Amino acid sequence: MSARIIQNNPTPFARIAIDPVTLDIIENALRNARVEMDATLVRTAMSPGIREQGDAFPLIADHKGRMIVGQFGSYIGPFLEGYEGTVEEGDMILLSDPYSVGGAVSHCNDWLVLLPVFKDGRLIAYTSMFGHQSDIGGKVPGSMPIDATSIFQEGVRIPPIKIYKQGQYNEDLITLIMHQVRTPDWCRADLNALIASCRVAARRVVEMAGRFGDDVFVSACEELLARNHKAMKQLIDTAISEEKVSFEDYICDDGMGFGPYKIKCTMWRENGRVVLDFDGTDPQSQASINFFLNENMMRMFFGIYMIMIFDPQILFNDGYYDLIDVRIPEGSLLKPRFPAALSGRTHALGRMFDILGGLLGQKTPEFLTAAGFSSSPHLFYSGTDKAGDYFQLFQIGFGGIPGRPLGDGPDGHSLFPNFTNVPNEFLERYFPLIIERYETVADSGGAGLHRGGNGIIMSYRFLEGGMIAIHDDRWFVPPWGVNGGKPGARATKIIEKPDGTRTIVGNKVEDLKVEADDVLHFITWGGGGWGDPLDRDPALIAKEITQGLVTAEGAKAYGVVIAADGAVDDAATTALRNTLRTDRGTIDVFDFGPTMENLRA
């Protein structure tokens, strides 16, 4: 059974021709509305994950639920197919349960608000926003237990339900939900921010339709989708071969002593469509690292990767989805069976981009990108301060971005374009801690003609005792390099006691007790390098040494010798590079670093 759309005006929209100027105006107005959604969100949310880091994703879709502008692709189709209710003017839907919408949201922390937009009795569009709630109850602060074996341990699960019904707010429902969470003030404020963002975009859509006419607006959306379809089809025909290519990468562990977990994908073109087949991916985990990968989300990943690599001018929307065939085996790490835990899916989600890079560049190495997105490092810190007030921090960290065909990978950055760091001043103002170091880790980016981005080190001095949890990956399997580029360095986490004693702790740990004046050194991975490091400009290496991005010892990976005065020793550099070229032999397309057997040993 699917949702029933209730419209007072049954007149169908007429498809009419749109001139290029009008289409361009509507396209940019929609882009601006999406930006306004983000601005509204960050100005009204309270949690640092949304307010400071932008862990939220907007969407404006046409009246059929197809994304016109946004970032994560449309989940409205799966919702409408599975929702056994009505959609009427004045309604607003809230949901968070991944299993209720086929993985359209991938863990219960992501709360999704969906607003159907009506004009003159007809459904003309949808606006939607989902954001990561810092806490939704469950067994641990932050609601992302590494050792969860069931989604029931991860906090409140919200099926698709109306928080507004024909304009009436369901206050009792929200009160019930907020009763389950540790930080209800933040949670309620963030929910209101999601609602406000959707309403802002809905107003802009109605204004556009009022200015140009409903039929013009709807026809413009159809044209934007068709234009995207045409552009993507051309990219697929030229960049994707009918010959199968496969690639695999690994999640290092599940935090419960098992791993690594393999993710494998095979890609080919068949009858004008791209097939992405995940056969060979490991079975689902007993822990929470499973990623319930919605097929449309994977289509979005593929499309945005293709667009950003091959033609960044294309407007990203859902128009090309029928060109992508995604096949994910049931019971695998990427399509676990209910009630498998899902809260730690961030590692597999991030690894999708590395896998796409490995797939798409095999036939065209000049477009190949190294590994680097890999995961989203998370830190949780909670406890009670001297005033007796409860505090709870959820923060996302960043590793090194991979080296690319057109340049170096940024240092300590996110691949998601809207993500930013939490300012240290914010952290120190609202939480009992001091950030003693926040800097790049020299030499952690893989050497290459284009260097992989360096990871970062954040050193947190805790001023109050409490509990921390760490979610990170790439501590075992390094981010690989390509076309002669070297792998990036791996992640490490260290607790330093007041007496100077240091202990390496896991990259996936839960309920780790810390005392006042303990320091956590949170070190993330570096991105893989791109291209032959022996071709990198020695003068650039010397400059990066002064900038703290490379060390004099690390310069030798590029075949560069630095004299005592900091200048390049040209003669020694030439001799070293000649020796390294002679000794290394043939350059492989991929450099994965040590073999799995050596890593295990």
Side-chain angles (χ1 to χ4, degrees):
M1 186 175 179
S2 59
R4 290 187 299 115
I5 311 297
I6 307 299
Q7 302 182 93
N8 295 329
N9 181 357
T11 306
F13 295 108
R15 182 70 185 270
I16 59 177
I18 306 294
D19 66 87
V21 174
T22 300
L23 184 64
D24 190 58
I25 292 172
I26 292 175
E27 175 187 340
N28 284 281
L30 286 167
R31 289 179 187 262
N32 290 338
R34 176 254 165 100
V35 172
E36 194 173 357
M37 292 178 77
D38 289 330
T40 301
L41 187 78
V42 299
R43 289 171 179 166
T44 50
M46 285 185 63
S47 70
I50 294 180
R51 171 182 164 180
E52 301 295 332
Q53 301 213 260
D55 190 0
F57 300 89
L59 171 117
I60 301 175
D62 72 349
H63 67 292
K64 297 179 181 178
R66 298 169 297 180
M67 185 185 80
I68 307 300
V69 294
Q71 187 168 328
F72 243 94
S74 181
Y75 29 72
I76 299 174
F79 158 74
L80 293 174
E81 292 170 6
Y83 181 59
E84 298 182 1
T86 59
V87 175
E88 304 179 63
E89 187 167 3
D91 288 352
M92 183 180 289
I93 308 294
L94 172 67
L95 65 92
S96 73
D97 176 27
Y99 289 108
S100 69
V101 285
V105 292
S106 54
H107 67 171
C108 290
N109 290 78
D110 286 335
W111 284 18
L112 185 154
V113 170
L114 176 62
L115 174 61
V117 182
F118 286 79
K119 181 178 181 294
D120 300 327
R122 290 191 293 184
L123 177 65
I124 197 169
Y126 291 90
T127 64
S128 183
M129 176 78 84
F130 75 83
H132 180 104
Q133 290 283 14
S134 294
D135 189 277
I136 57 167
K139 62 184 291 190
V140 297
S143 314
M144 295 175 63
I146 291 169
D147 59 350
T149 57
S150 164
I151 196 169
F152 295 108
Q153 298 170 310
E154 297 177 334
V156 62
R157 297 166 53 230
I158 307 172
I161 195 165
K162 294 182 181 181
I163 52 173
Y164 280 90
K165 185 173 183 179
Q166 297 180 9
Q168 295 297 312
Y169 187 56
N170 193 339
E171 179 66 39
D172 289 344
L173 170 66
I174 301 305
T175 300
L176 175 64
I177 293 173
M178 296 303 162
H179 194 66
Q180 315 304 313
V181 308
R182 295 174 177 84
T183 54
D185 290 345
W186 279 12
C187 197
R188 186 184 289 270
D190 289 354
L191 174 59
N192 288 337
L194 298 173
I195 292 171
S197 298
C198 292
R199 292 203 184 282
V200 164
R203 284 199 298 272
R204 299 297 174 255
V205 166
V206 172
E207 289 168 1
M208 275 180 261
R211 175 183 177 185
F212 295 100
D214 297 355
D215 292 335
V216 171
F217 176 79
V218 171
S219 296
C221 291
E222 291 280 359
E223 183 59 32
L224 291 172
L225 290 164
R227 190 174 66 180
N228 181 277
H229 185 281
K230 181 179 178 180
M232 186 62 71
K233 181 169 176 49
Q234 184 174 355
L235 283 183
I236 289 170
D237 289 342
T238 56
I240 308 299
S241 171
E242 292 182 351
E243 181 182 349
K244 293 182 179 181
V245 293
S246 295
F247 195 78
E248 58 189 48
D249 207 340
Y250 296 84
I251 308 301
C252 294
D253 74 313
D254 62 5
M256 296 179 67
F258 296 94
Y261 287 80
K262 180 173 68 176
I263 300 176
K264 180 179 179 179
C265 187
T266 302
M267 178 183 71
W268 70 95
R269 178 164 50 86
E270 182 179 290
N271 298 324
R273 305 177 72 209
V274 174
V275 179
L276 299 171
D277 189 345
F278 286 91
D279 185 44
T281 296
D282 279 347
Q284 67 190 64
S285 169
Q286 64 171 348
S288 65
I289 63 166
N290 302 296
F291 177 28
F292 190 0
L293 178 57
N294 177 268
E295 284 80 1
N296 276 353
M297 188 180 292
M298 187 61 209
R299 293 181 178 101
M300 180 278 298
F301 289 158
F302 176 86
I304 199 167
Y305 202 99
M306 288 281 288
I307 288 170
M308 298 313 297
I309 292 294
F310 294 107
D311 192 351
Q313 297 305 312
I314 298 174
L315 172 67
F316 172 66
N317 61 41
D318 285 357
Y320 65 90
Y321 278 9
D322 65 326
L323 297 173
I324 317 295
D325 180 7
V326 180
R327 305 172 184 177
I328 307 173
E330 292 281 344
S332 69
L333 190 75
L334 303 180
K335 193 177 284 292
R337 295 185 176 92
F338 178 81
L342 303 173
S343 60
R345 93 291 185 238
T346 182
H347 315 296
L349 188 158
R351 203 58 49 86
M352 287 298 107
F353 293 97
D354 290 347
I355 289 170
L356 282 171
L359 282 170
L360 291 169
Q362 290 188 40
K363 296 297 182 183
T364 52
E366 65 273 17
F367 290 109
L368 192 60
T369 300
F373 182 73
S374 301
S375 181
S376 287
H378 291 358
L379 172 66
F380 302 84
Y381 171 43
S382 61
T384 303
D385 63 20
K386 290 182 175 62
D389 295 326
Y390 179 73
F391 63 85
Q392 181 179 312
L393 169 66
F394 159 68
Q395 183 183 9
I396 301 173
F398 305 126
I401 297 300
R404 302 161 295 163
L406 299 179
D408 296 344
D411 304 305
H413 205 281
S414 172
L415 262 184
F416 287 122
N418 287 345
F419 271 28
T420 57
N421 65 297
V422 179
N424 294 341
E425 296 82 359
F426 181 96
L427 293 171
E428 294 179 344
R429 170 65 180 83
Y430 291 102
F431 300 97
L433 54 80
I434 295 173
I435 305 298
E436 296 193 337
R437 293 179 68 189
Y438 184 16
E439 58 193 57
T440 185
V441 180
D443 298 333
S444 58
L449 171 63
H450 299 150
R451 178 176 58 81
N454 283 330
I456 60 174
I457 177 171
M458 288 192 71
S459 294
Y460 302 81
R461 181 175 294 278
F462 301 116
L463 302 182
E464 299 283 359
M467 306 297 288
I468 67 170
I470 299 169
H471 294 212
D472 199 7
D473 208 62
R474 286 296 193 199
W475 65 269
F476 181 68
V477 181
W480 32 269
V482 297
N483 296 331
K486 298 299 180 181
R490 296 180 287 177
T492 307
K493 308 296 180 287
I494 301 169
I495 290 288
E496 181 177 355
K497 305 299 287 186
D499 64 3
T501 303
R502 290 187 168 209
T503 303
I504 296 177
V505 298
N507 277 263
K508 295 182 185 70
V509 295
E510 197 71 71
D511 290 336
L512 180 63
K513 187 176 181 181
V514 292
E515 305 289 348
D517 280 334
D518 285 354
V519 177
L520 169 65
H521 301 289
F522 196 101
I523 305 167
T524 60
W525 72 91
W530 189 98
D532 189 348
L534 303 184
D535 291 334
R536 190 170 175 86
D537 183 1
L540 179 57
I541 300 296
K543 180 180 180 181
E544 289 183 316
I545 290 174
T546 66
Q547 295 171 329
L549 302 174
V550 178
T551 66
E553 182 64 26
K556 295 178 182 178
Y558 301 86
V560 174
V561 179
I562 302 298
D565 62 356
V568 176
D569 186 329
D570 292 327
T573 293
T574 299
L576 178 57
R577 286 187 163 184
N578 288 338
T579 299
L580 292 174
R581 283 193 175 96
T582 301
D583 292 345
R584 72 185 176 188
T586 304
I587 293 178
D588 294 326
V589 174
F590 295 97
D591 187 343
F592 295 101
T595 65
M596 191 63 69
E597 291 74 18
N598 287 337
L599 289 171
R600 290 184 184 278

